[in-house]
Amino acid sequence: MSGLEAVQLLKLRLPMLRPWRTALGTLSEREAVLVRAVVDGVEGWGECPALPEPTYSSEYPDAVVDVLRRHLVPRLLAARVSDAPGVAPALAPVKGHPMAKSGLELAVLDAHLKATGVSLADFLASRCDPPATPAARVPAGMAVGVTGSVAALVEEVGRWVEEGYRRVKVKIHPGWDSAAVGAVRDAFGSGLVVAADANGSYAAVADPPAALRPLARWDVAFVEQPLADDDLLGHAALAGRLAIPVCLDESLTSANLAEAAIALGACSVVNVKAPRVGGYLEAVRVHDRCRARGVPVWCGGMLETAVGRAANLALASLPGFTIPGDVSGTGWLYPEDVAGDVFALDAAGTIAVPRRPGTGVAVAAAVTRRAAWSEWHRPG
Ligand code: MG
């Protein structure tokens, strides 16, 4: 890669087929921030999947766009990096903003890989230590939002099981946990992998181990992020008093923090989200360090469009991803996605990893024409 010629930032408004409800709030429309990078005449695409409000992490779409246009894109254009791994070091002087950095890095990486004819899955596998071979297909998993009634939850999970999903993750919070998860286990039996994600909501209860212990009855694969983001010692104490493995998500914003959490006993399962750790190359480092310590990882989702979804499929093809993640098929979230690519489940409940160069996805021109806002940046 000799030259980054231009970067375009785009904001799109994507209606959702149904509202998405968690302990963090309800979402009925997605504001997607996409990044287009042009490297030696070849276009690449990245996505910054910050949620509309800064309730999952401190990032949100307008903050992502602001830091990209004021600080990150100008730095990258000035740095004249010669390869995709040079992107993160060029952006490192800016603290925080991992989702903004991840989208920009992915756009440059995608352009570079499209120019050289290498798929993102092959590239990420080549960056593993030791180098790995990507899987051709990955098992699909679905995260199910808070439905409001146990009957509605069982009905929704039933739809996904019918479509071939073999793993569901149920969003929980105090007052919506054991009865909800138990109803899913009762309805679908032991063949379904069931996990629970609390998004930090048990930080507010007086005795988190007592509140979460009833979940153990239902053969829960793990309970994710029960306590506050910064409470590694609290998670370690909780993990020592629960029969269910503890998984961390929001807490782990880098490979260093993932390693520290494992060393402290704060988790025995790790949710890897590239946008949360600043990019897909840092996500590979999280994968490597967990794998070296025998800690299973899975690929988390942020309700991504086809761009981020394809990149997550590539990440999930690495060998340490031994638990099905939030990698789901297309069509259930956005009636009109940003690209026509279809990620479909086969009879075994798996999805093919894209093998075309880069992420394999290109955003449709009709979609970019409908952008709510866009802006080009070129070297000064
Ligand atoms: Mg989570």
Side-chain angles (χ1 to χ4, degrees), residues 222-281:
F222 55 81
V223 60
E224 180 179 350
Q225 197 69 43
L227 305 177
D229 301 11
D230 64 354
D231 194 5
L232 291 186
L233 292 179
H235 279 108
L238 176 63
R241 298 178 62 195
L242 273 188
I244 310 166
V246 171
C247 171
L248 288 178
D249 174 4
E250 286 92 328
S251 293
L252 308 182
T253 53
S254 67
N256 284 343
L257 268 171
E259 195 167 25
I262 292 164
L264 286 168
C267 64
S268 54
V269 175
V270 165
N271 169 347
V272 184
K273 285 179 182 170
R276 192 194 66 222
V277 299
Y280 285 81
L281 297 180

Side-chain angles (χ1 to χ4, degrees), residues 56 169 171 197-199 224-225 249-250 271 273 298 326:
Y56 166 82
K169 188 176 83 173
K171 292 286 189 177
D197 184 5
N199 288 112
E224 180 179 350
Q225 197 69 43
D249 174 4
E250 286 92 328
N271 169 347
K273 285 179 182 170
W298 56 276
D326 293 338

Side-chain angles (χ1 to χ4, degrees), residues 2 11 91 115 201 204 220 274 284 306 319 325:
S2 57
K11 276 204 291 191
L91 305 180
S201 56
V220 175
V284 170

Side-chain angles (χ1 to χ4, degrees), residues 101-299:
K101 291 175 177 173
S102 176
L104 182 54
E105 183 195 69
L106 180 59
V108 174
L109 185 53
D110 185 40
H112 176 53
L113 295 175
K114 280 175 173 151
T116 52
V118 177
S119 74
L120 181 61
D122 281 324
F123 176 76
L124 295 179
S126 76
R127 300 281 303 179
C128 286
D129 181 17
T133 303
R137 306 189 68 88
V138 299
M142 181 59 79
V144 181
V146 174
T147 53
S149 81
V150 167
L153 175 67
V154 169
E155 188 193 326
E156 177 164 354
V157 172
R159 278 204 303 272
W160 301 128
V161 168
E162 210 164 286
E163 283 197 23
Y165 288 91
R166 301 285 177 266
R167 170 273 202 191
V168 296
K169 188 176 83 173
V170 178
K171 292 286 189 177
I172 62 167
H173 59 73
W176 177 261
D177 44 31
S178 184
V181 172
V184 171
R185 177 61 74 212
D186 275 346
F188 303 100
S190 59
L192 185 68
V193 177
V194 180
D197 184 5
N199 288 112
S201 56
Y202 288 80
V205 306
D207 187 350
L212 289 162
R213 216 169 272 131
L215 281 175
R217 265 188 74 190
W218 308 116
D219 185 24
V220 175
F222 55 81
V223 60
E224 180 179 350
Q225 197 69 43
L227 305 177
D229 301 11
D230 64 354
D231 194 5
L232 291 186
L233 292 179
H235 279 108
L238 176 63
R241 298 178 62 195
L242 273 188
I244 310 166
V246 171
C247 171
L248 288 178
D249 174 4
E250 286 92 328
S251 293
L252 308 182
T253 53
S254 67
N256 284 343
L257 268 171
E259 195 167 25
I262 292 164
L264 286 168
C267 64
S268 54
V269 175
V270 165
N271 169 347
V272 184
K273 285 179 182 170
R276 192 194 66 222
V277 299
Y280 285 81
L281 297 180
E282 180 73 359
V284 170
R285 284 188 282 276
V286 176
H287 162 270
D288 289 350
R289 296 201 203 171
C290 291
R291 193 171 179 223
R293 285 155 188 77
V295 170
V297 304
W298 56 276
C299 182

